[in-house]
mmCIF file of all heavy atoms in Angstrom:
data_model
loop_
_atom_site.group_PDB
_atom_site.id
_atom_site.type_symbol
_atom_site.label_atom_id
_atom_site.label_comp_id
_atom_site.label_asym_id
_atom_site.label_seq_id
_atom_site.Cartn_x
_atom_site.Cartn_y
_atom_site.Cartn_z
ATOM 1 N N PHE A 89 231.477 33.197 58.241
ATOM 2 C CA PHE A 89 231.558 34.316 57.287
ATOM 3 C C PHE A 89 232.545 33.881 56.181
ATOM 4 O O PHE A 89 233.772 33.877 56.433
ATOM 5 C CB PHE A 89 232.037 35.618 57.974
ATOM 6 C CG PHE A 89 231.175 36.011 59.108
ATOM 7 C CD1 PHE A 89 231.458 35.649 60.417
ATOM 8 C CD2 PHE A 89 230.015 36.826 58.899
ATOM 9 C CE1 PHE A 89 230.643 36.010 61.488
ATOM 10 C CE2 PHE A 89 229.247 37.238 59.996
ATOM 11 C CZ PHE A 89 229.525 36.859 61.276
ATOM 12 N N LEU A 90 232.041 33.483 55.072
ATOM 13 C CA LEU A 90 232.851 33.005 53.967
ATOM 14 C C LEU A 90 233.798 34.104 53.464
ATOM 15 O O LEU A 90 233.353 35.230 53.222
ATOM 16 C CB LEU A 90 232.006 32.454 52.805
ATOM 17 C CG LEU A 90 231.055 31.343 53.197
ATOM 18 C CD1 LEU A 90 230.318 30.843 51.937
ATOM 19 C CD2 LEU A 90 231.784 30.183 53.818
ATOM 20 N N LYS A 91 235.075 33.785 53.293
ATOM 21 C CA LYS A 91 236.086 34.771 52.893
ATOM 22 C C LYS A 91 237.027 34.154 51.883
ATOM 23 O O LYS A 91 237.275 32.939 51.902
ATOM 24 C CB LYS A 91 236.844 35.294 54.112
ATOM 25 C CG LYS A 91 236.041 36.187 55.035
ATOM 26 C CD LYS A 91 235.663 37.491 54.331
ATOM 27 C CE LYS A 91 234.625 38.254 55.114
ATOM 28 N NZ LYS A 91 234.203 39.482 54.423
ATOM 29 N N LYS A 92 237.615 34.991 51.056
ATOM 30 C CA LYS A 92 238.689 34.571 50.157
ATOM 31 C C LYS A 92 240.016 35.045 50.713
ATOM 32 O O LYS A 92 240.069 36.035 51.505
ATOM 33 C CB LYS A 92 238.473 35.161 48.765
ATOM 34 C CG LYS A 92 237.199 34.682 48.074
ATOM 35 C CD LYS A 92 237.054 35.302 46.710
ATOM 36 C CE LYS A 92 235.791 34.807 46.017
ATOM 37 N NZ LYS A 92 235.597 35.428 44.649
ATOM 38 N N GLY A 93 241.092 34.378 50.358
ATOM 39 C CA GLY A 93 242.422 34.777 50.800
ATOM 40 C C GLY A 93 242.720 34.316 52.200
ATOM 41 O O GLY A 93 242.014 33.554 52.816
ATOM 42 N N THR A 94 243.895 34.818 52.726
ATOM 43 C CA THR A 94 244.385 34.366 54.013
ATOM 44 C C THR A 94 244.696 35.554 54.950
ATOM 45 O O THR A 94 245.246 35.331 56.029
ATOM 46 C CB THR A 94 245.666 33.574 53.820
ATOM 47 O OG1 THR A 94 246.665 34.440 53.177
ATOM 48 C CG2 THR A 94 245.450 32.370 52.922
ATOM 49 N N LYS A 95 244.305 36.781 54.587
ATOM 50 C CA LYS A 95 244.725 37.915 55.370
ATOM 51 C C LYS A 95 243.684 38.354 56.426
ATOM 52 O O LYS A 95 244.074 38.957 57.421
ATOM 53 C CB LYS A 95 244.972 39.087 54.404
ATOM 54 C CG LYS A 95 246.097 38.858 53.413
ATOM 55 C CD LYS A 95 247.426 38.705 54.095
ATOM 56 C CE LYS A 95 248.561 38.567 53.064
ATOM 57 N NZ LYS A 95 249.883 38.362 53.738
ATOM 58 N N SER A 96 242.392 38.073 56.201
ATOM 59 C CA SER A 96 241.396 38.479 57.148
ATOM 60 C C SER A 96 241.585 37.777 58.516
ATOM 61 O O SER A 96 241.922 36.580 58.584
ATOM 62 C CB SER A 96 239.992 38.145 56.636
ATOM 63 O OG SER A 96 239.726 38.820 55.414
ATOM 64 N N ALA A 97 241.468 38.516 59.605
ATOM 65 C CA ALA A 97 241.732 37.999 60.931
ATOM 66 C C ALA A 97 240.958 36.733 61.197
ATOM 67 O O ALA A 97 239.711 36.714 61.045
ATOM 68 C CB ALA A 97 241.414 39.065 61.992
ATOM 69 N N VAL A 99 240.799 33.904 59.575
ATOM 70 C CA VAL A 99 240.301 33.115 58.470
ATOM 71 C C VAL A 99 241.165 31.864 58.267
ATOM 72 O O VAL A 99 242.377 31.951 58.410
ATOM 73 C CB VAL A 99 240.280 33.955 57.154
ATOM 74 C CG1 VAL A 99 241.664 34.280 56.632
ATOM 75 C CG2 VAL A 99 239.419 33.234 56.098
ATOM 76 N N GLN A 100 240.534 30.788 57.969
ATOM 77 C CA GLN A 100 241.217 29.532 57.585
ATOM 78 C C GLN A 100 240.174 28.562 57.080
ATOM 79 O O GLN A 100 238.947 28.814 57.221
ATOM 80 C CB GLN A 100 242.029 28.919 58.730
ATOM 81 C CG GLN A 100 241.175 28.271 59.820
ATOM 82 C CD GLN A 100 242.055 27.447 60.760
ATOM 83 O OE1 GLN A 100 243.268 27.644 60.902
ATOM 84 N NE2 GLN A 100 241.457 26.475 61.457
ATOM 85 N N GLU A 111 234.973 25.268 54.814
ATOM 86 C CA GLU A 111 235.166 26.354 53.851
ATOM 87 C C GLU A 111 236.242 27.312 54.416
ATOM 88 O O GLU A 111 236.576 27.286 55.565
ATOM 89 C CB GLU A 111 233.846 27.127 53.713
ATOM 90 C CG GLU A 111 232.770 26.473 52.880
ATOM 91 C CD GLU A 111 233.040 26.545 51.380
ATOM 92 O OE1 GLU A 111 234.029 27.178 50.980
ATOM 93 O OE2 GLU A 111 232.210 25.993 50.632
ATOM 94 N N ASN A 112 236.732 28.111 53.522
ATOM 95 C CA ASN A 112 237.653 29.222 53.914
ATOM 96 C C ASN A 112 236.776 30.293 54.529
ATOM 97 O O ASN A 112 236.012 30.954 53.816
ATOM 98 C CB ASN A 112 238.438 29.760 52.737
ATOM 99 C CG ASN A 112 239.640 30.545 53.172
ATOM 100 O OD1 ASN A 112 240.565 30.049 53.826
ATOM 101 N ND2 ASN A 112 239.638 31.813 52.821
ATOM 102 N N CYS A 113 236.855 30.478 55.822
ATOM 103 C CA CYS A 113 235.912 31.382 56.496
ATOM 104 C C CYS A 113 236.454 31.904 57.822
ATOM 105 O O CYS A 113 237.425 31.381 58.354
ATOM 106 C CB CYS A 113 234.558 30.697 56.712
ATOM 107 S SG CYS A 113 234.594 29.297 57.861
ATOM 108 N N GLN A 114 235.766 32.906 58.325
ATOM 109 C CA GLN A 114 235.911 33.332 59.704
ATOM 110 C C GLN A 114 234.701 32.784 60.497
ATOM 111 O O GLN A 114 233.633 32.612 59.919
ATOM 112 C CB GLN A 114 235.922 34.854 59.808
ATOM 113 C CG GLN A 114 237.091 35.539 59.112
ATOM 114 C CD GLN A 114 236.866 37.041 59.004
ATOM 115 O OE1 GLN A 114 235.935 37.503 58.337
ATOM 116 N NE2 GLN A 114 237.691 37.828 59.689
ATOM 117 N N ARG A 146 251.819 37.080 62.032
ATOM 118 C CA ARG A 146 250.592 37.104 61.252
ATOM 119 C C ARG A 146 249.506 37.849 62.006
ATOM 120 O O ARG A 146 248.740 38.639 61.396
ATOM 121 C CB ARG A 146 250.129 35.691 60.955
ATOM 122 C CG ARG A 146 248.978 35.584 59.953
ATOM 123 C CD ARG A 146 248.501 34.133 59.849
ATOM 124 N NE ARG A 146 247.512 33.973 58.780
ATOM 125 C CZ ARG A 146 246.792 32.893 58.622
ATOM 126 N NH1 ARG A 146 246.913 31.871 59.459
ATOM 127 N NH2 ARG A 146 245.923 32.800 57.643
ATOM 128 N N VAL A 321 236.434 44.179 55.416
ATOM 129 C CA VAL A 321 237.519 44.578 56.251
ATOM 130 C C VAL A 321 238.386 43.327 56.562
ATOM 131 O O VAL A 321 237.824 42.195 56.549
ATOM 132 C CB VAL A 321 237.064 45.230 57.576
ATOM 133 C CG1 VAL A 321 236.366 46.548 57.293
ATOM 134 C CG2 VAL A 321 236.115 44.296 58.348
ATOM 135 N N ARG A 322 239.639 43.530 56.861
ATOM 136 C CA ARG A 322 240.525 42.465 57.201
ATOM 137 C C ARG A 322 241.019 42.534 58.634
ATOM 138 O O ARG A 322 241.349 41.507 59.266
ATOM 139 C CB ARG A 322 241.774 42.492 56.272
ATOM 140 C CG ARG A 322 241.429 42.089 54.873
ATOM 141 C CD ARG A 322 242.722 42.127 54.012
ATOM 142 N NE ARG A 322 242.462 41.648 52.637
ATOM 143 C CZ ARG A 322 243.408 41.629 51.703
ATOM 144 N NH1 ARG A 322 244.626 42.070 51.949
ATOM 145 N NH2 ARG A 322 243.154 41.169 50.502
#
Side-chain angles (χ1 to χ4, degrees):
F89 303 92
L90 301 183
K91 289 293 168 183
K92 296 180 180 179
T94 60
K95 299 296 184 181
S96 298
V99 71
Q100 73 168 22
E111 286 282 358
N112 196 63
C113 65
Q114 294 169 296
R146 189 185 187 193
V321 295
R322 291 180 174 177

